[in-house]
Amino acid sequence: MPIHTLQSDNYTIEAGNIEESSFSQLLNRFSDSKKVIIVDENTHEYCLEFLITQFEELTDAEVMLLPAGEENKVLEVSFQVWEALSEYRVGRSDLIINLGGGVITDMGGFIASVFKRGVHFINIPTTLLAMVDASVGGKTGIDLGPYKNQLGVFNTPDAVYIDKRFLSSLPESEWLNGYAEMLKHAIVFSKTHWKTIHAKTPSQITEEDIIESIAIKNQIVLADPKENGIRKLLNFGHTAGHAIEGYLLGTESPVPHGIAVAWGMSMEAELAFKTGVLNEVDRAWIQSVLASHFPPLPDFTPVKQELLSLMTNDKKNKSGKVSFVFPSEIGQADVNYSFDVDAPVLESLFFKSSDLY
């Protein structure tokens, strides 16, 4: 398949075999610059050798190996990277290459953005989640305790390169993570995309499906780069989902981002229905599709106060109210539905899958 190029805000997103992309030309632009490749334990094992052997310009690149996992997307790890960058004498004209999933692209972009007030960086996402969501859009960040992405900046990479071959080593659970975000893009913006992907298993997702999902997000981001309006649509499922993810991160049973978001979408679809925004047919369709692909929604009632407390510190909130995105039907959604944390209607968030099916 030929390289498919999307133009985003001051950078390009290219999908296809990376050897056929503009990556080599970009490296030539930095021929006299230092290059640093940030990887985690997984991409160090499965992806790094391929990249270095394909591009001789990376033969002398410094490799920075970070521990894998959301629990490591924190200031302490970032600080260690900044110290290493200082030891390598990396400057603003040098290049950081983020080779990894959402944790690496989020954190690597943040590290590059604040070091010496900004170092060039590119993203080469290696998970479906990173390809369709985390690596595009210009959001960078790290977590602060149980609060997701509390520290971060908006800053765009020089380029993003999407090569589906990096997905070949992923377990099914990693495909699920990205599939959740693809379903979210469809629910809030494109019923056509929903009809294309909702009945597929994650491993049946094609490169064309990935490109379409990226195009949806890119279109939304271009219209609202700093999330003042329409970009808030991309937060569907994330108010409840981030609270769930953050809460469980501190337990013995953490869940990946995609599963937390899938549960969040099911919960927020229920709340949208109970408040009269979402019709019953599409509510049931959304919840049944999510239930067919993702683990059953647990009963979070015993910890609802903890989850609501986490929701009150969500960065999307305004005037002390908890904010949500509600679909009005599949393919359309509205932003800025807000409730006091003690509003009785928020009880609609807390149910388990067996209550519905």
Side-chain angles (χ1 to χ4, degrees):
M1 183 176 182
I3 294 294
H4 188 96
T5 301
L6 294 171
Q7 186 62 45
S8 195
D9 187 16
N10 300 319
Y11 71 100
T12 58
I13 305 162
E14 297 186 23
N17 290 355
I18 194 168
E19 310 96 300
E20 300 171 20
S21 73
S22 68
F23 182 47
S24 185
Q25 292 96 298
L26 183 143
L27 291 176
N28 286 334
R29 281 173 37 205
F30 292 91
S31 59
D32 296 325
S33 303
K34 294 177 181 176
K35 301 169 191 67
V36 177
I37 306 174
I38 297 180
V39 295
D40 65 12
E41 294 149 333
N42 296 318
T43 50
H44 183 271
E45 179 176 357
Y46 296 109
C47 307
L48 180 62
E49 182 179 0
F50 168 79
L51 192 69
I52 291 176
T53 56
Q54 292 297 318
F55 298 95
E56 62 181 17
E57 300 95 334
L58 297 176
T59 302
D60 297 324
E62 297 284 356
V63 176
M64 301 195 64
L65 173 61
L66 308 188
E70 183 74 26
E71 67 274 14
N72 297 299
K73 192 175 131 184
V74 294
L75 187 59
E76 292 82 359
V77 175
S78 301
F79 188 79
Q80 293 169 11
V81 177
W82 287 319
E83 286 190 317
L85 292 175
S86 294
E87 292 174 5
Y88 295 158
R89 302 189 185 279
V90 171
R92 294 170 67 176
S93 62
D94 295 325
L95 178 67
I96 291 176
I97 300 169
N98 299 315
L99 178 67
V103 170
I104 291 295
T105 58
D106 277 358
M107 184 161 59
F110 175 68
I111 287 167
S113 298
V114 301
F115 186 71
K116 297 187 177 179
R117 297 195 178 97
V119 175
H120 295 279
F121 73 96
I122 65 169
N123 291 329
I124 304 178
T126 60
T127 66
L128 185 58
L129 172 66
M131 289 180 182
V132 301
D133 187 63
S135 71
V136 298
K139 280 186 177 181
T140 73
I142 57 175
D143 302 338
L144 186 63
Y147 302 110
K148 288 273 295 178
N149 299 320
Q150 289 282 292
L151 303 176
V153 297
F154 287 97
N155 190 27
T156 56
D158 283 41
V160 177
Y161 296 100
I162 310 288
D163 191 331
K164 188 173 181 284
R165 291 175 297 175
F166 285 122
L167 303 179
S168 61
S169 64
L170 294 182
E172 182 76 10
S173 59
E174 283 294 335
W175 284 80
L176 271 177
N177 270 330
Y179 185 55
E181 295 287 358
M182 295 180 72
L183 290 172
K184 178 200 73 178
H185 292 162
I187 291 169
V188 301
F189 200 74
S190 174
K191 192 168 187 176
T192 299
H193 191 48
W194 170 266
K195 289 180 177 179
T196 300
I197 68 171
H198 82 276
K200 292 184 177 182
T201 64
S203 59
Q204 291 174 328
I205 293 298
T206 66
E207 186 169 297
E208 290 81 1
D209 297 331
I210 293 171
I211 292 169
E212 178 61 23
S213 193
I214 295 170
I216 290 170
K217 179 171 183 179
N218 191 51
Q219 181 178 346
I220 294 171
V221 169
L222 284 173
D224 178 24
K226 296 296 180 67
E227 201 175 89
N228 295 311
I230 190 175
R231 184 169 179 168
K232 294 179 182 179
L233 291 176
L234 299 173
N235 293 320
F236 174 55
H238 284 63
T239 299
H242 274 172
I244 291 168
E245 186 180 2
Y247 173 78
L248 293 178
L249 195 61
T251 71
E252 295 180 354
S253 305
V255 296
H257 176 73
I259 291 176
V261 168
W263 288 345
M265 288 192 289
S266 187
M267 294 167 70
E268 293 177 23
E270 185 70 14
L271 183 58
F273 169 68
K274 291 294 177 62
T275 53
V277 177
L278 178 62
N279 66 78
E280 185 172 7
V281 172
D282 283 354
R283 182 279 307 259
W285 197 5
I286 290 169
Q287 290 179 332
S288 64
V289 167
L290 292 170
S292 69
H293 293 295
F294 295 89
L297 179 63
D299 182 7
F300 287 113
T301 303
V303 297
K304 68 178 181 180
Q305 291 305 322
E306 290 92 333
L307 294 181
L308 286 170
S309 178
L310 289 171
M311 289 182 205
T312 61
N313 206 29
D314 191 286
K315 56 187 177 295
K316 302 181 293 294
N317 293 344
K318 187 177 181 180
S319 302
K321 296 180 181 291
V322 183
S323 297
F324 295 91
V325 173
F326 286 166
S328 52
E329 60 180 89
I330 292 174
Q332 295 186 31
D334 300 306
V335 302
N336 290 334
Y337 288 92
S338 299
F339 304 90
D340 291 323
V341 70
D342 56 356
V345 72
L346 292 188
E347 292 291 327
S348 301
L349 285 169
F350 302 103
F351 62 92
K352 55 186 182 296
S353 291
S354 58
D355 292 335
L356 297 176
Y357 311 108

